[in-house]
Amino acid sequence: MAQVDIEVNGRAYRVFCEDGQEARLRELAAYVDMRLKQVTGGGKSGSEAQMLALTAIVMADEMQDLMAGRGIAPVTSVDEAEVAAAVDHVAQRIEEVAARLERA
């Protein structure tokens, strides 16, 4: 198991990945960072958790568009309340992790 230091939204994270996947993980983190800046206009447009959640939603929308273009059926049966609750939960977890990192 390899350790990789990545940066998203100006914040450094140490994450683990399979050996040999370090470069790919850095590329993906750089892509997420770039999309976050594009989606949020490069500035602070809310809490970090909200910006990350919004970026994830935009990227999921793009992924579903790509899947549809390749004839792969996107998810069509979505319980909006369930999705909203899941996004809120993820945002809360991100804020908790960010707070722990700030204390470290």
Side-chain angles (χ1 to χ4, degrees):
M1 181 91 23
Q3 287 187 20
V4 180
D5 292 322
I6 61 171
E7 186 175 310
V8 176
N9 198 33
R11 187 179 297 271
Y13 299 95
R14 177 163 288 159
V15 295
F16 295 92
C17 66
E18 293 180 20
D19 291 333
Q21 294 297 311
E22 298 89 346
R24 179 68 175 152
L25 186 55
R26 285 187 194 99
E27 290 171 7
L28 293 170
Y31 179 74
V32 169
D33 188 54
M34 176 195 67
R35 291 299 290 136
L36 184 141
K37 289 174 183 164
Q38 291 172 340
V39 168
T40 64
K44 297 287 183 183
S45 59
S47 74
E48 184 171 40
Q50 289 172 317
M51 291 188 303
L52 288 168
L54 178 60
T55 301
I57 291 167
V58 168
M59 291 172 68
D61 181 55
E62 293 169 346
M63 183 181 68
Q64 286 204 353
D65 287 347
L66 288 171
M67 291 170 58
R70 293 183 177 174
I72 302 169
V75 176
T76 56
S77 170
V78 175
D79 180 341
E80 290 183 21
E82 186 176 316
V83 171
V87 169
D88 285 343
H89 177 73
V90 169
Q92 180 180 6
R93 293 287 297 137
I94 291 169
E95 287 177 350
E96 290 169 1
V97 169
R100 280 198 313 262
L101 289 171
E102 287 177 359
R103 288 190 298 256

